[in-house]
Amino acid sequence: MTVRILRAADLTPAPWKNGSGLTREIATGPEGAGADTFDWRVSLADVTADGPFSAFPGVDRILTVVEGAGMDLVVGGEHHIVDEPLWPHGFPGDLPTEGFLLGGPVVNLNVMYRRARTRAETAVVCGTVRLLPPEGGAVLAVSLDDGAELESGSGGVRLDRYDAVLAAGESPGVLRTMGQAVLITFSGG
């Protein structure tokens, strides 16, 4: 079993692939993979202006607005109003995409995965949930509030806002949230 605690305070802002904004990478699979080699990638994106999204051929995306009023995503010429907070919205990452802010800056939790190699499922949860990585896959839980706790046989670990736990193999334990968390499960394609 592999379990890693990923602290938000350790995330370094980096330019988007197209240079139009900043992102804070939470985790990639495999660990350390670059923009052209990841199987999956999860990050927090600070969107402060309208503009194009980076293109990722062969990649599907799931965007969850975690701060702000939302966006009008124009994906392949089709409008998608993403104004429901904490509602995961999937779209193909290889279609031309532009985002238009609905009421000021937003922070998006972005899940990207190569559709030929990986599947990802994203859910927003509250309360208590057992983290169950699928066989050969991984599970990532990102706390959206201060005070979440990962409880295992060896004790508890506190998670604050945007801290995460990444697990592969057996369940690392139970996540107890004081508010909400985003739970992402990755499995083979």
Side-chain angles (χ1 to χ4, degrees):
M1 175 176 68
T2 303
V3 177
R4 291 179 38 220
I5 304 299
L6 307 164
R7 299 291 180 189
D10 297 333
L11 303 179
T12 304
W16 292 351
K17 181 179 172 185
N18 70 9
S20 295
L22 291 177
T23 188
R24 293 164 282 160
E25 185 175 286
I26 296 171
T28 59
E31 185 178 351
D36 296 325
T37 60
F38 65 79
D39 288 345
W40 58 263
R41 178 177 184 248
V42 178
S43 63
L44 290 164
D46 299 304
V47 183
T48 59
D50 299 342
F53 277 43
S54 301
F56 285 91
V59 171
D60 283 333
R61 299 176 73 156
I62 303 170
L63 178 146
T64 305
V65 176
V66 296
E67 288 182 41
M71 304 181 75
D72 175 7
L73 287 181
V74 182
V75 181
E78 183 178 312
H79 289 266
H80 301 262
I81 303 298
V82 184
D83 61 351
E84 182 78 26
L86 308 179
W87 191 268
H89 181 82
F91 62 98
D94 38 16
L95 290 180
T97 301
E98 289 189 271
F100 299 93
L101 298 170
L102 296 177
V106 297
V107 176
N108 295 325
L109 182 82
N110 284 303
V111 176
M112 294 188 273
Y113 59 98
R114 294 204 191 279
R115 67 179 72 96
R117 299 194 300 238
T118 305
R119 255 185 83 70
E121 296 177 12
T122 301
V124 176
V125 298
C126 65
T128 301
V129 63
R130 179 166 298 283
L131 302 181
L132 297 170
E135 188 171 327
V139 64
L140 178 73
V142 181
S143 179
L144 297 179
D145 303 283
D146 289 340
E149 187 168 317
L150 175 66
E151 296 178 1
S152 65
S154 58
V157 175
R158 179 185 164 97
L159 300 174
D160 288 324
R161 188 175 202 190
Y162 301 142
D163 286 349
V165 58
L166 174 63
E170 297 176 24
S171 172
V174 171
L175 179 68
R176 296 188 192 283
T177 66
M178 297 301 291
Q180 295 170 308
V182 178
L183 184 65
I184 307 126
T185 304
F186 299 100
S187 56

